[in-house]
Amino acid sequence: MGRKRVLITGAAGFLGSHLCDRFIREDFHVIAMDNLITGDLRNIEHLFKLENFEFCHHDVSTYVNVPGKLDYILHFASPASPIDYLKIPIQTLKVGSLGIHNLLGLARKKNARILIASTSEVYGDPTVNPQPEEYWGNVNPVGPRGVYDEAKRFQEAMTMAYHTFHGLETRIVRIFNTYGPRMRLNDGRVLPAFIGQALRGEDLTVFGDGSQTRSFCYVDDLVEGIYRLLFSDYALPVNIGNPDEITIKQFGEEIIKLTGTKQKMVFEPLPTDDPKQRRPDITKAKALLGWEPKVDRAKGLKITYEYFKSLPEQEIQHKDFTYYNK
Ligand code: UDP
């Protein structure tokens, strides 16, 4: 019979690389695709020697060709931090629109099941908390986050259309804030920002008064939820995230304690359209997948801090936003 074959896009990124690890562990043949704009080959270089792993340097916004059979596609290619959207807005829109069209076409041709990475950003700056899947969202299409939010919303619509019109097997995961090893230290997200600042002996920059909330999920929990969703028979979107909600100010205090930094928090203006609250309602994931997060923040943050500490000093000191591969 041979191994089941899975295509993972965005494979050199934070979530994509952890998914590669998981599918390799489950004895799949993994075809890892990435254009390396925001991805980093170091995240997957340990897999290159394996006979059931192959890397394909390709931008999924252009026609995607994969020789041989394909059983599953996981679409995780996309810039995914607010700074990315500002720096590369057009690519962000293209991968969520042209990219998904190419991959849905590929899934049809190969008769493969496709799972797409959607996001809590489809809820925008939500007026209900926690957010259930039935909430339609509060999104500003022309704000700085619009290029990401609307691409992801279009991606969901396109995926559902292929499901209903072509009968394609599709899965949609709405991912809430996730953290863990292999996040980019300079991607502008709050966790790498705070830990990087602590490691360099700088003050921690809190945007706004820090009363906005987020709910942080450790990457291993997220991967488990995605794995279960792929093998479920549910085609509507499912939230995967950790409902343990905290304010960004409290989060800063936790990072100060964890790292033992002598620095303090300093307050800067809140970015445009920054959501005031975010917390997943995971009733559906619990009922459908028997899934809930297992790793608490204290444990997850400790592992993540060790990872960032182990990076080359030069990288820790290089605080300006960069793409490693440019
Ligand atoms: N944030 C902050 N300081 C930073 C980076 C981010 O206070 O140096 C805040 C940001 O304004 C937001 C929250 O932390 O309210 C989470 O930001 P992130 O970019 O990680 O993800 P988001 O959930 O906003 O997409």
Side-chain angles (χ1 to χ4, degrees):
M1 257 271 288
R3 290 184 172 103
K4 294 278 185 202
R5 288 162 61 88
V6 58
L7 169 69
I8 300 178
T9 74
F14 166 48
L15 297 181
S17 67
H18 284 281
L19 285 165
C20 286
D21 284 341
R22 176 64 187 260
F23 280 86
I24 288 288
R25 235 182 21 247
E26 304 284 350
D27 203 32
F28 281 73
H29 182 94
V30 173
I31 301 156
M33 193 171 276
D34 206 298
N35 68 357
L36 300 176
I37 291 189
T38 59
D40 189 331
L41 279 182
R42 288 178 301 179
N43 291 334
I44 47 173
E45 68 187 358
H46 58 287
L47 302 174
F48 273 68
K49 59 182 181 298
L50 303 176
E51 47 129 6
N52 56 329
F53 181 84
E54 54 186 292
F55 178 71
C56 178
H57 187 186
H58 182 71
D59 181 347
V60 298
S61 300
T62 65
Y63 186 80
V64 182
N65 181 37
V66 175
K69 76 166 182 135
L70 262 189
D71 300 289
Y72 302 100
I73 298 174
L74 281 84
H75 181 35
F76 278 70
S78 178
S81 89
I83 284 190
D84 289 342
Y85 323 145
L86 289 175
K87 290 258 172 185
I88 42 174
I90 314 287
Q91 284 99 322
T92 305
L93 278 160
K94 282 172 76 178
V95 73
S97 51
L98 306 180
I100 192 62
H101 190 210
N102 290 331
L103 292 165
L104 287 164
L106 180 69
R108 258 191 96 198
K109 187 165 92 184
K110 302 283 183 180
N111 205 12
R113 180 180 297 182
I114 180 166
L115 180 147
I116 64 152
S118 190
T119 166
S120 54
E121 282 287 322
V122 300
Y123 303 123
D125 186 3
T127 53
V128 300
N129 198 43
Q131 295 82 52
E133 288 85 350
E134 291 73 26
Y135 178 55
W136 290 354
N138 178 35
V139 171
N140 174 7
V142 294
R145 291 173 181 253
V147 294
Y148 183 66
D149 300 8
E150 296 295 0
K152 290 289 187 179
R153 288 169 69 97
F154 174 85
Q155 189 176 273
E156 287 197 8
M158 190 75 160
T159 301
M160 282 315 294
Y162 268 69
H163 176 70
T164 50
F165 188 72
H166 288 307
L168 192 69
E169 285 205 47
T170 56
R171 306 288 180 265
I172 301 173
V173 57
R174 289 190 180 147
I175 298 170
F176 284 65
N177 293 67
T178 302
Y179 69 97
R182 303 185 191 153
M183 287 186 100
R184 280 185 3 248
L185 190 57
N186 296 318
D187 78 353
R189 289 181 162 278
V190 67
L191 183 144
F194 282 176
I195 292 186
Q197 287 159 342
L199 288 173
R200 293 189 296 272
E202 298 167 0
D203 288 335
L204 274 54
T205 51
V206 174
F207 297 162
D209 62 4
S211 63
Q212 71 273 34
T213 68
R214 293 295 185 273
S215 310
F216 297 96
C217 184
Y218 186 65
V219 64
D220 289 358
D221 281 334
L222 187 93
V223 166
E224 180 63 31
I226 290 168
Y227 194 82
R228 289 187 192 198
L229 178 61
L230 178 66
F231 297 107
S232 77
D233 57 7
Y234 192 75
L236 286 167
V238 178
N239 289 339
I240 299 285
N242 190 323
D244 187 1
E245 181 181 10
I246 91 171
T247 68
I248 294 302
K249 190 154 170 250
Q250 286 171 320
F251 189 61
E253 281 156 9
E254 286 189 5
I255 300 289
I256 288 177
K257 210 164 136 211
L258 171 75
T259 58
T261 175
K262 299 281 175 293
Q263 306 305 121
K264 57 183 188 313
M265 286 184 265
V266 291
F267 295 84
E268 294 188 357
L270 193 66
T272 309
D273 298 339
D274 199 289
K276 284 178 278 307
Q277 51 186 359
R278 184 181 289 152
R279 174 186 182 181
D281 180 333
I282 59 165
T283 311
K284 207 158 260 169
K286 276 186 183 162
L288 290 169
L289 315 174
W291 175 88
E292 62 183 326
K294 298 257 182 301
V295 181
D296 66 24
R297 214 168 39 246
K299 184 171 173 209
L301 284 182
K302 199 161 174 290
I303 300 168
T304 311
Y305 177 48
E306 293 304 321
Y307 167 77
F308 282 125
K309 261 202 314 198
S310 74
L311 292 176
E313 187 57 26
Q314 189 190 6
E315 212 166 295
I316 292 170
Q317 293 305 330
H318 190 90
K319 64 182 177 188
D320 292 336
F321 173 77
T322 52
Y323 295 123
Y324 295 136
N325 302 294
K326 290 279 142 189

